[in-house]
Amino acid sequence: MPFTLVIHGGAGNITPAIMNKEQEEQYTAGLKEALDKGYDVLSKGGAALDAVVMAISVLEDNPLFNAGRGAVFTKKGLNEMDASLMDGSNLMAGAIAGVRNIKNPIKLAREVMLHSGHVFLSGEGAAEFALGKGIEMAPDEYFFNRSRYDQWVEIRDTDFYQLDHKDDNLKGTVPNTDYKYGTVGAVAWDEQGNIAAGTSTGGMTNKRFGRIGDSPVVGAGTYANNITCGISCTGHGEHFLRAVVAHDVSCLMEYKGLPLKEACAIVIKDKLVKIGGEGGLIAVDSKGNYEFCFNSAGMYRGMRNSEGKEIVAFYGEE
Ligand code: ASP
């Protein structure tokens, strides 16, 4: 029986000019490891939901990406993380925002979905729930990463906040100077025809006031529905929230009967562009077709399916 897995590690100004050979190798290895571990779940007949949690956990454990261990720093010098997960077979969803010291936020999102009776928990309450469920915690040092720290130190005394992407046109933000990218996400379609999607992030450097982006918001950064598709987004969260990107793609398929490719293009390359939103998404539809769609220069991305096809790419037009 066929199955498909797609992943992303963030979108933005990712061009050959900002990557050296060593970085290309590191990102390739990081993406490949996540694909392989998620693929193993699917190839043994495992559930799309488990493959998504597996692939995202691997990316969260890799400091290259802005999620879990590699999460960026807030205005107060903390690492506050957001994540969400959705099961397209029953429209169940779980999400958390503004959590600290959680080793794998995507696992906490799954716990919220399955065992909280709620969909979305935040901050201290989410931490209390995590403790009660035996979710693995990690000390502040675990999340310390020199380049993320330096990235924050550069702007901590300003009112600017910074996408973990380069985006010169954002009001209230400064251009990213060290070009680190990396919100992570995964979408899987399993042998049973079930679709699941998840997204995990540290958000934006120097964020304050408990700022939350699109990543943990069901319908904006993440969505899954067996009858249409699964989506995980990455980009400037404020715009993705306003455009309700993930659900919008699903709606174009459900109500207008559009194919996945066209639905993604309308939302990412037209609607989002009109409001100044930079970024992209990964998607899989109910037949296992996959899509990478972005309006930025590049997106760290990968795909592996039951047909033996495997893709790892960073730049546009690959
Ligand atoms: N969408 C994320 C946020 O705004 C950032 C990202 O995708 O890198 O928090």
Side-chain angles (χ1 to χ4, degrees):
M1 292 290 278
F3 57 84
T4 305
L5 173 68
V6 287
I7 60 170
H8 72 76
N13 187 35
I14 302 162
T15 63
I18 63 136
M19 299 272 285
N20 60 37
K21 188 129 195 72
E22 197 188 334
Q23 286 168 319
E24 285 184 347
E25 280 167 12
Q26 285 173 347
Y27 278 96
T28 300
L31 291 169
K32 214 176 145 5
E33 188 191 353
L35 274 180
D36 290 349
K37 296 253 172 73
Y39 178 94
D40 282 350
V41 173
L42 293 173
S43 66
K44 289 182 184 128
L49 198 71
D50 294 332
V52 164
V53 172
M54 173 61 81
I56 292 181
S57 300
V58 170
L59 295 167
E60 286 176 338
D61 291 344
N62 187 335
L64 280 182
F65 301 100
N66 173 21
R69 186 170 195 177
V72 296
F73 289 85
T74 66
K75 179 84 178 163
K76 293 187 173 153
L78 307 171
N79 309 102
E80 290 179 357
M81 300 167 287
D82 310 325
S84 62
L85 181 67
M86 188 157 183
D87 183 343
S89 69
N90 52 16
L91 304 186
M92 292 285 283
I96 43 123
V99 299
R100 297 185 50 211
N101 302 102
I102 302 291
K103 185 165 178 278
N104 292 108
I106 197 68
K107 292 184 182 169
L108 180 53
R110 177 175 58 189
E111 206 58 29
V112 170
M113 177 176 105
L114 297 176
H115 301 122
S116 74
H118 301 293
V119 170
F120 203 167
L121 302 183
S122 70
E124 281 174 23
E128 189 185 325
F129 173 76
L131 273 176
K133 292 294 174 196
I135 290 284
E136 193 175 354
M137 311 288 284
D140 287 348
E141 305 79 72
Y142 173 80
F143 299 92
F144 184 84
N145 178 295
R146 177 48 68 183
S147 67
R148 301 274 189 238
Y149 184 79
D150 292 344
Q151 189 181 2
W152 167 64
V153 166
E154 234 177 74
I155 60 169
R156 70 178 163 190
D157 297 327
T158 71
D159 283 341
F160 292 118
Y161 63 97
Q162 187 177 72
L163 246 198
D164 202 35
H165 304 248
K166 179 176 164 54
D167 189 340
D168 297 302
N169 302 317
L170 302 178
K171 205 171 164 216
T173 69
V174 291
N176 191 346
T177 45
D178 74 349
Y179 305 105
K180 292 284 184 294
Y181 307 90
T183 286
V184 307
V187 181
W189 175 71
D190 66 23
E191 288 188 345
Q192 278 68 48
N194 292 323
I195 299 174
T199 311
S200 180
T201 188
M204 292 167 92
T205 295
N206 216 34
K207 65 183 181 181
R208 56 178 175 163
F209 309 130
R211 181 266 183 192
I212 296 164
D214 61 310
S215 306
V217 177
V218 171
T222 303
Y223 192 73
N225 185 338
N226 273 9
I227 64 169
T228 54
C229 61
I231 306 275
S232 171
C233 299
T234 173
H236 191 213
E238 279 66 11
H239 295 88
F240 279 69
L241 279 165
R242 289 162 53 209
V244 203
V245 171
H247 188 237
D248 216 37
V249 173
S250 175
C251 286
L252 286 169
M253 296 177 73
E254 186 172 1
Y255 305 133
K256 283 189 107 178
L258 296 186
L260 180 70
K261 195 178 183 63
E262 205 179 321
C264 292
I266 288 173
V267 179
I268 296 291
K269 297 192 170 158
D270 183 27
K271 188 172 170 180
L272 204 53
V273 170
K274 283 182 182 141
I275 60 168
E278 186 195 350
L281 59 75
I282 55 170
V284 181
D285 72 10
S286 55
K287 295 188 184 67
N289 299 310
Y290 63 90
E291 197 58 42
F292 302 116
C293 187
F294 48 96
N295 63 34
S296 46
M299 179 166 74
Y300 296 118
R301 59 198 187 275
M303 190 286 303
R304 209 176 154 191
N305 67 16
S306 50
E307 290 166 19
K309 194 166 175 195
E310 186 170 353
I311 298 170
V312 170
F314 314 143
Y315 311 121
E317 307 298 328
E318 280 189 69

